[in-house]
Structures are given as C-alpha cells and as structure tokens.
Amino acid sequence: MSYEVEHNIPSPPPQSQSQSHQRVHRPDLSTFFSTLDLVSTADTQNAHATPMPADMRAVFLTLSDAFRSMRNESGGGLLDVLIESLEADAERPPREVQGVSDGFLD
C-alpha cells in the first residue's frame, strides 16, 4: 500500500511526457551538511582543534557527488569544473578550515 493510499491523498493528474521531463531532481544535501558539521571547529573549547583529514575529504566528495547528479540531468560546463576542483581538493584536504581572524570578530 502506498503513502497516498494510506493517507487518502488524491493522485496527481497524469502529466504529459514533456511536462515530466521539465521536473528537475534536486540532490539531497543533508549528508553534505552533516559532514560539514564534523569539520566545524567553531563550537570546540580547544583553540588548536583541527578537523580530521578524512572528514575534510568526505565534505569535498559528498558535494562533488551532488554536483555529479545535477550534471547528469543538465549537462556539463561549469559543474564539470567544480567537480574536478572538489575532487582535487579531496585528494589534498587542507589541514584546517579557513575562517576569519579573532581580530575581525572583536
């Protein structure tokens, strides 16, 4: 039994084939944002804390995967360049996440 049937939701009217191709799939970025939380050092008490290189690599790769799924639907171009850049950064992850200086925050 489907969700629509269980909750008594009427089925949408059938769309023509041209209308169904116009619908763009949006990638789920929840994994990206959860891995981004892993590399954030804003909430730590240790001033010298740095994210793990494997976590930094995961951030770059999850975002490149999202861009790859978008590229498959819309073609290449700028997304190809962004994917290559992210994958190169994943091979050489930075030792720390760059942010603003303490003087900027004061």
Side-chain angles (χ1 to χ4, degrees), residues 2-104:
S2 69
Y3 178 85
E4 288 81 10
V5 172
E6 288 178 7
H7 297 279
N8 198 22
I9 297 173
S11 300
Q15 296 179 349
S16 69
Q17 196 170 22
S18 64
Q19 288 177 333
S20 65
H21 288 303
Q22 292 176 354
R23 184 174 181 200
V24 177
H25 171 74
R26 294 185 180 175
D28 181 18
L29 294 176
S30 61
T31 305
F32 167 71
F33 287 113
S34 65
T35 55
L36 195 59
D37 285 339
L38 291 175
V39 300
S40 175
T41 57
D43 297 332
T44 65
Q45 298 296 326
N46 184 355
H48 303 289
T50 58
M52 299 293 290
D55 293 337
M56 293 294 295
R57 179 178 166 83
V59 168
F60 291 122
L61 292 178
T62 54
L63 187 58
S64 70
D65 287 343
F67 285 163
R68 190 174 290 109
S69 70
M70 291 167 47
R71 178 190 66 190
N72 291 341
E73 294 179 3
S74 64
L78 177 62
L79 287 176
D80 287 331
V81 175
L82 290 173
I83 291 168
E84 289 175 16
S85 175
L86 287 167
E87 289 176 349
D89 288 341
E91 293 300 318
R92 300 176 309 317
R95 295 189 55 80
E96 61 185 49
V97 179
Q98 295 181 353
V100 296
S101 66
D102 290 336
F104 179 80

